[in-house]
Amino acid sequence: MPHLLVTGGAGFIGSEIVRQALDAGWSVRVLDSLRADVHETAPALDERAEFVLGDVRDEETVARSLEGIDAVCHQAGKVGLGVDFYDAPDYVSSNELGTAVLLAAMTRAGIDRFVVASSMVVYGEGSYSNEAGDKVRPPARAVIDLEAGRFEPLDPATGTPLIPELIAEDAPLDPRNVYASTKLGQEHLASSWARSAGGTAIALRYHNVYGPGMPQNTPYAGVASLFRSALARGEAPRVFEDGAQRRDFVHVSDVAAANLAALDATESVESSSFATYNVGSGVVHTIGDMAAAIARASNGSDPVVTGEFRLGDVRHITASSDKMARELGWRATVDFDAGMAEFATAPLRSAAS
């Protein structure tokens, strides 16, 4: 029986990976710090898994957690856009330092299979073309435009709105906030480790993950959870900008299955290799679509489009997951309408204090 360590395995995505890995025949150990900004109370853990309480930045705890392990699935970290730049040290420490400590310990332990949670945020804005069909990489949107309600990225040459497209893994990387910078930093560390230690590393660039067990009512949660939390309070979901931001919403069970496919691949592909894959449904929906779908399914108030914005948010980013389907045989299976109908009434995690 192969032995798997899942860091952050008590979390939203990590716990679903743990469940699916156990069902697939892995022996699973979880390392999780149960940090207070994620967990108000200790979550229910799968009794089939071994649990180690500790921080991925602690060398002694990590070394102990890696004993007898064949592969590591690294989900621990600080997520979301954050509140302000005061969050930067915690993001860098939690995500980049934590990954460095883990990879160094894996090298000492002789473990050579690694899957890490990355994110669509490493791309910055999504993929665009102009009216002539040429690829164009827009600059960050100007505050003056956002304040005036001009949300669409413009062609720098002509000033006309650009046409959004699905983004592939070979697109230029342009992280535009601290969280994004740390996710790209994790990818660079994984790539460097693979070359240096002769390991195999795969980074999965999650798009907008949703599903049962999301943390609720926290500034670090995904937008789907924020809408659910509002509806549970009897309030209308508040949709920023004009609600037309394009996203790819992918169910947590599909994301966990992608991790299992990546773990399988680390056993069969060449050593000293690093690869990235988008993990998305491949189907485009807007944030307004998602808010309306959740409100309908929960018989809640219709969404309110506020025109507000957050600096660092991108306008459109939607995934092409064709590379993962082609190379690893994975595709998302949960339909958007069915997934949102389930999510509208599914239990969420208690609000973090």
Side-chain angles (χ1 to χ4, degrees), residues 10 15 79 85 96 103 117 145 164 169 184 203 220 236 255 258 283 302 317 319 330 346 348 353:
S15 60
V79 302
F85 204 82
E96 297 190 69
L103 290 171
D145 287 331
E169 290 84 352
L184 184 54
Y220 305 99
V255 174
V283 180
D302 291 337
I317 182 163
W330 174 89
L348 300 183
S353 56

Side-chain angles (χ1 to χ4, degrees), residues 5 7 29 31 52-69 72 74 97-109 111:
L5 176 67
T7 70
R29 181 179 297 147
L31 171 61
V52 176
L53 176 64
D55 196 302
V56 74
R57 294 167 289 189
D58 182 76
E59 294 182 9
E60 183 178 345
T61 301
V62 170
R64 187 173 74 252
S65 299
L66 290 173
E67 293 175 1
I69 293 295
V72 174
H74 184 33
L97 176 60
T99 301
V101 169
L102 176 62
L103 290 171
M106 287 175 60
T107 305
R108 286 190 289 270
I111 300 167

Side-chain angles (χ1 to χ4, degrees), residues 131-157:
E131 293 175 340
D134 301 319
K135 293 283 187 181
V136 176
R137 193 71 178 161
R141 295 180 293 170
V143 173
I144 190 171
D145 287 331
L146 295 171
E147 289 176 340
R150 296 187 293 267
F151 301 121
E152 293 296 332
L154 303 178
D155 185 342

Side-chain angles (χ1 to χ4, degrees), residues 31-56:
L31 171 61
D32 202 299
S33 65
L34 302 182
R35 56 185 295 162
D37 59 352
V38 177
H39 303 279
E40 181 184 43
T41 58
L45 301 172
D46 196 307
E47 295 180 352
R48 297 173 293 171
E50 178 187 355
F51 178 72
V52 176
L53 176 64
D55 196 302
V56 74

Side-chain angles (χ1 to χ4, degrees), residues 21-315:
L22 288 163
D23 289 347
W26 288 86
S27 172
V28 179
R29 181 179 297 147
V30 170
L31 171 61
D32 202 299
S33 65
L34 302 182
R35 56 185 295 162
D37 59 352
V38 177
H39 303 279
E40 181 184 43
T41 58
L45 301 172
D46 196 307
E47 295 180 352
R48 297 173 293 171
E50 178 187 355
F51 178 72
V52 176
L53 176 64
D55 196 302
V56 74
R57 294 167 289 189
D58 182 76
E59 294 182 9
E60 183 178 345
T61 301
V62 170
R64 187 173 74 252
S65 299
L66 290 173
E67 293 175 1
I69 293 295
D70 299 303
V72 174
C73 185
H74 184 33
Q75 306 295 312
K78 188 177 178 73
V79 302
L81 183 60
V83 177
D84 52 41
F85 204 82
Y86 295 123
D87 281 335
D90 192 21
Y91 273 107
V92 173
S93 177
S94 299
N95 296 349
E96 297 190 69
L97 176 60
T99 301
V101 169
L102 176 62
L103 290 171
M106 287 175 60
T107 305
R108 286 190 289 270
I111 300 167
D112 61 359
R113 299 168 60 189
F114 184 65
V115 174
V116 59
S118 187
S119 171
M120 66 180 188
V121 296
V122 300
Y123 297 114
E125 276 289 349
S127 183
Y128 296 85
S129 63
N130 60 19
E131 293 175 340
D134 301 319
K135 293 283 187 181
V136 176
R137 193 71 178 161
R141 295 180 293 170
V143 173
I144 190 171
D145 287 331
L146 295 171
E147 289 176 340
R150 296 187 293 267
F151 301 121
E152 293 296 332
L154 303 178
D155 185 342
T158 65
T160 57
L162 293 168
I163 302 165
E165 300 174 339
L166 299 185
I167 198 161
E169 290 84 352
D170 59 357
L173 303 181
D174 183 19
R176 296 187 176 186
N177 56 57
V178 171
Y179 171 59
S181 175
T182 64
K183 297 312 286 184
L184 184 54
Q186 287 181 293
E187 290 194 14
H188 288 325
L189 286 165
S191 176
S192 177
W193 168 82
R195 290 193 303 272
S196 174
T200 301
I202 292 176
L204 299 179
R205 293 172 177 167
Y206 301 161
H207 284 248
N208 288 75
V209 186
Y210 73 97
M214 283 189 82
Q216 63 175 309
N217 201 29
T218 159
Y220 305 99
V223 66
S225 175
L226 299 179
F227 292 161
R228 262 292 312 272
S229 297
L231 288 161
R233 296 191 301 269
E235 301 170 4
R238 295 177 60 81
V239 179
F240 280 14
E241 300 188 16
D242 58 0
Q245 307 95 303
R246 291 159 58 105
R247 294 292 188 271
D248 186 316
F249 299 100
V250 58
H251 195 274
V252 64
S253 64
D254 283 327
V255 174
N259 276 270
L260 270 289
L263 284 165
D264 288 343
T266 62
E267 188 175 29
S268 58
V269 300
E270 295 181 0
S271 62
S272 301
S273 67
F274 171 73
T276 61
Y277 295 96
N278 286 333
V279 177
S281 71
V283 180
V284 176
H285 290 278
T286 69
I287 289 179
D289 291 339
M290 187 260 289
I294 297 173
R296 283 195 304 273
S298 60
N299 296 315
S301 302
D302 291 337
V304 174
V305 177
T306 69
E308 296 174 82
F309 61 89
R310 295 192 307 177
L311 287 176
D313 274 347
V314 299
R315 178 62 175 173

